[in-house]
Amino acid sequence: MRLGVLDVGSNTVHFLVVDAHPGAAPLPAYSHKAELRLAELLEEDGAISAVGVERLVSMVASSLRVAEDKGVVDLLPFATSAVREAANGEEVLRRVEEETGVALTVLSGQDEARLTFLAVRRWFGWSSGRLLNLDIGGGSLEIACGLDEQPDVATSLPLGAGRLTSRLPGEIADPGDLRELRRHIRAEIAGAVGDIARLGPPDHSVATSKTFKQLARMTGAAPEGAGVRVPRRLTRSGLSAWLPRLAAMTPAERAQIPGVSLGRARQLLAGALVADAAMDLFGLDELDICPWALREGIILRRLDTMDGQENRVAIEA
């Protein structure tokens, strides 16, 4: 069947059309997205601005038109931290539903971590043993670890690259602001280290999200055009070597780095600080980059539900 996944994230609203059925890997068929950066379109009270809401409604409406054109039969719409934490989040959800008919499901941070972990487990398989996964979004950092398809620990921290970038005003980061942000990031992550450490050392450490993909590409990983099955890795040594350079660059200069988009260039430094702190505090020398993440986790969970229904019908027959 053809599914449509509407992902309302802190940076990007992404509508992904996939061909999928139980027991098979979902195959992307069409992608429709826009960098709305909702996490940056906030009023002083933390509400998404009128401009942000208008852009969101317009993007959801255009996604519905794409869904109709592409023959989508099942729509899976969800929102993450930007809507979840907005002061007017309920109003935004109501407005979207009233004007488009789409009822967005708001995922908790733990749900994000669990569903992303499911996608990573399915991609790498059981041979990976105890998996540790890190995901840097626009609004939050998700951490999950475990032996099964459901992680033993799943947590979400307010350390998204978009959220933290607001603490680094100006074209080039002020050294004092940079030190303060680094201390803040490390204090937040340190509070989660104990829960992961109690499980024992991971057998396989993995990263997901656009931020990690761009950091890996920056440090020498294969370009996106090489295909999703090409192994990609981020090393802490490579990342640490780049950090001073990123801090000295303007966003326009960062956008010239291979693999870094103009829309994400401003957030790259904050994302790199989070990645460096997480790798250091969890004692990780390297992270494998997984091409599947939250959207694929949503799809896989939906397919699992379908598979259970089909099996039940077959048994009863």
Side-chain angles (χ1 to χ4, degrees), residues 288-305:
D288 284 333
I289 306 300
C290 180
W292 282 4
L294 178 58
R295 281 186 295 275
E296 286 77 15
I298 294 280
I299 295 166
L300 292 167
R301 178 61 55 80
R302 176 72 178 94
L303 292 176
D304 287 348
T305 303

Side-chain angles (χ1 to χ4, degrees), residues 96-139:
V96 169
E97 186 168 9
E98 287 175 353
E99 297 200 21
T100 70
V102 173
L104 291 169
T105 297
V106 179
L107 300 179
S108 70
Q110 283 192 326
D111 286 339
E112 288 188 54
R114 292 188 187 105
L115 288 164
T116 303
F117 185 87
L118 171 64
V120 172
R121 171 61 77 190
R122 294 282 178 91
W123 181 268
F124 285 111
W126 297 111
S127 62
S128 287
R130 180 177 286 109
L131 270 173
L132 170 63
N133 186 65
L134 307 175
D135 184 290
I136 301 172

Side-chain angles (χ1 to χ4, degrees), residues 201-224:
D203 300 305
H204 192 180
S205 299
V206 179
T208 49
S209 74
K210 188 70 170 180
T211 295
F212 271 117
K213 289 177 181 177
Q214 291 192 341
L215 292 174
R217 177 73 182 99
M218 179 185 75
T219 56
E224 186 175 352

Side-chain angles (χ1 to χ4, degrees), residues 182-205:
R182 183 179 184 275
R183 282 195 293 268
H184 168 71
I185 290 168
R186 287 173 174 261
E188 287 277 350
I189 295 175
V193 169
D195 290 337
I196 302 296
R198 291 186 189 95
L199 302 177
D203 300 305
H204 192 180
S205 299

Side-chain angles (χ1 to χ4, degrees), residues 233-303:
R233 186 165 293 165
L234 174 65
T235 64
R236 180 152 189 260
S237 60
L239 179 58
S240 296
W242 264 95
L243 271 172
R245 298 171 63 184
L246 289 177
M249 289 179 173
T250 65
E253 289 170 335
R254 292 179 206 142
Q256 301 304 310
I257 301 171
V260 177
S261 66
L262 180 61
R264 300 269 183 161
R266 181 171 294 277
Q267 300 181 11
L268 191 65
L269 175 57
L273 289 172
V274 174
D276 181 66
M279 294 181 78
D280 183 21
L281 291 170
F282 285 111
L284 307 174
D285 293 325
E286 59 187 30
L287 290 164
D288 284 333
I289 306 300
C290 180
W292 282 4
L294 178 58
R295 281 186 295 275
E296 286 77 15
I298 294 280
I299 295 166
L300 292 167
R301 178 61 55 80
R302 176 72 178 94
L303 292 176

